[in-house]
Amino acid sequence: MMHWMTASEISQAYDAGTLSPVTVIEALLARVDALEPQYHAFIALDRAAALQAAKQAEQEFKAGRRLGPLHGVPVGIKDIIDMAGQRTSCHSKVMLEHLAVEDAPVITALRASGAILFGKLALHEFAIGGPSFDLPFPPARNPWNIAHHPGGSSSGSGTALAAGFLPLALGTDTGGSVRHPAAACGLAGLKATYDLVSRRGVYPLSMSLDHVGPMARTVQDVALLLDVMAQTSSSPEATKPATYTRDLKLGVKGLRIGFIRHFHEKDEIAHPDVTRALDEACKVFRELGAEVNDITLPSLQEFSAAQKIILMSEGWAIHAQNLRERPQDYAEMSRRKLMCGAFLSAGDYVQAMQMRGVLIDRVNHAFQNVDILLAANSLDPACRIEDVKEVVRTYTRQARVPFNLTGHPALAMMSGLSSEGLPVSLQLIGKNYDEVTVLRAGAAFEQATPWHTMHPELS
């Protein structure tokens, strides 16, 4: 079925001349028309522009002009990223009149690659709120079970991918907002090394924690999208490979993996289905030839405390004026979270930043003895979206925030199904700017397990 084709498969079919961009876009638009009213993945769908871009790509193919693997491949954009002449709503009443004057660098890079920008995707308000029902747009739903939360804040990106609306999407990640919907919706999503991908033109939440990340249904597609996104890097420390797909077929034999077991067994007690899947993942990696040993880092609580103070302080600095002048235009959930920053002092922020330095050193030290780290992602399967208490309870039960704080690259991917048939997920974390090794390990796990081949049965 065309809607489950990966970006890589679509690109290969273009190369073989067996598929056209117009056919792809028309098929996906038909699927969106049929299912979007139930799932609410989109804020804005630019049907005419997508079809026009598909026709242009088709003409270019006929002329023998191929710009690269993403030429003619549709990509969804989280509606917190600027596209010239279009509204950047941030899923908020506050931004309904905001029109972007220029493309964010990641959008410029996608256009240059020939990718088809398919539409703006839903999110949690300002990338922090939650699945709120007091906003101008409804919250996205989880395609694995429409009554459940799709994760956030890149909720529409997760929904669109899991529903078969798109093969690729952009998300942002400040405390796990690429990796949370990847967990809830059974996807692959990468928070690359801090500063590997430009954040310019992306409405900020926390300047020192924000990342822009690729999301897809397979690790190879994540790598293809990262190839384009990493072209925007201005970091003098980044050493980028010719392609992030370079080592995807090398396997993990000989790699040293440090399993951060205490995150989900001691610091927080994970749901049994999450624990079971992580133990199975260890077995898979060992069977593939990796050396897997438990490793100890500071507790989740230490990472989370520092990250939360930094996020709340920086978030308040960004939103203080609007929260003072028009608090009623924020959803209750995001208003409550953002206003916490008003009660923090400069001393709190400085102490959190000092602790951040200590925690970064501890993680860097761990990498002296291992090549990658293995950790839990969400500690629970997705809860019901209208159960506010459970949304609040489970939102912070995760092991993602440590790596926003430290900046290390972290790949989320599906690792199993819960007893209720909902996805569960793991993370693979690498050394700074060593996305190649993280993706290599992810690809090996993916090929040895069936999870990436499974899709929800949509009504």
Side-chain angles (χ1 to χ4, degrees), residues 93 125 132-137 328-333 335:
K93 294 176 186 177
E125 185 181 32
S132 299
F133 294 86
D134 52 348
L135 288 170
F137 314 102
Q328 72 283 356
D329 287 337
Y330 286 79
E332 180 185 357
M333 195 175 289
R335 182 172 63 241

Side-chain angles (χ1 to χ4, degrees), residues 397-419:
R397 281 178 43 80
Q398 45 101 338
R400 295 179 289 268
V401 297
F403 308 108
N404 288 92
L405 190 71
T406 67
H408 292 87
L411 173 69
M413 54 191 305
M414 187 173 173
S415 57
L417 287 170
S418 74
S419 56

Side-chain angles (χ1 to χ4, degrees), residues 97-279:
E97 304 303 320
H98 176 76
L99 287 180
V101 296
E102 63 179 358
D103 285 338
V106 286
I107 300 300
T108 300
L110 284 170
R111 292 194 198 278
S113 77
I116 296 174
L117 306 183
F118 200 74
K120 303 296 285 292
L121 296 166
L123 61 147
H124 293 165
E125 185 181 32
F126 288 112
I128 192 172
S132 299
F133 294 86
D134 52 348
L135 288 170
F137 314 102
R141 298 270 180 164
N142 192 326
W144 288 85
N145 186 321
I146 199 168
H148 285 246
H149 185 6
S153 66
S154 306
S155 51
S157 301
T159 298
L161 290 165
F165 295 164
L166 295 162
L168 299 172
L170 299 192
T172 62
D173 194 311
T174 305
S177 292
V178 160
R179 292 161 289 153
H180 188 191
C185 295
L187 307 167
L190 178 71
K191 183 204 75 64
T193 307
Y194 182 77
D195 254 359
L196 180 64
V197 178
S198 172
R199 300 178 308 283
R200 188 162 60 84
V202 180
Y203 198 92
L205 172 58
S206 174
M207 293 79 71
S208 71
L209 298 170
D210 291 345
H211 300 69
V212 185
M215 299 175 64
R217 292 190 290 267
T218 67
V219 172
Q220 179 163 341
D221 279 6
V222 165
L224 285 177
L225 188 49
L226 183 63
D227 277 345
V228 173
M229 298 173 70
Q231 294 172 19
T232 66
S233 175
S234 59
S235 171
E237 299 176 29
T239 302
K240 298 188 288 292
T243 173
Y244 286 96
T245 65
R246 186 187 71 191
D247 291 352
L248 295 185
K249 296 181 180 179
L250 291 186
V252 293
K253 188 173 182 179
L255 283 185
R256 301 166 301 164
I257 299 177
F259 184 25
I260 317 173
R261 187 185 294 274
H262 66 87
F263 275 3
H264 69 278
E265 288 190 352
K266 180 181 178 182
D267 302 343
E268 294 271 5
I269 307 303
H271 188 284
D273 292 339
V274 172
T275 299
R276 172 183 49 79
L278 285 164
D279 289 341

Side-chain angles (χ1 to χ4, degrees), residues 33-96:
D33 288 343
L35 297 172
E36 167 63 8
Q38 301 173 69
Y39 292 99
H40 310 302
F42 287 91
I43 295 290
L45 176 60
D46 197 341
R47 180 185 306 271
L51 282 169
Q52 180 56 40
K55 291 174 183 175
Q56 180 179 335
E58 193 165 284
Q59 302 235 330
E60 289 168 336
F61 293 173
K62 289 177 180 177
R65 186 169 179 239
R66 283 281 272 143
L67 298 176
L70 297 193
H71 195 179
V73 177
V75 183
I77 310 300
K78 184 177 181 178
D79 195 20
I80 199 169
I81 301 172
D82 283 347
M83 293 173 60
Q86 296 193 32
R87 179 175 63 189
T88 305
S89 78
C90 301
H91 208 121
S92 176
K93 294 176 186 177
V94 177
M95 299 290 284
L96 288 180

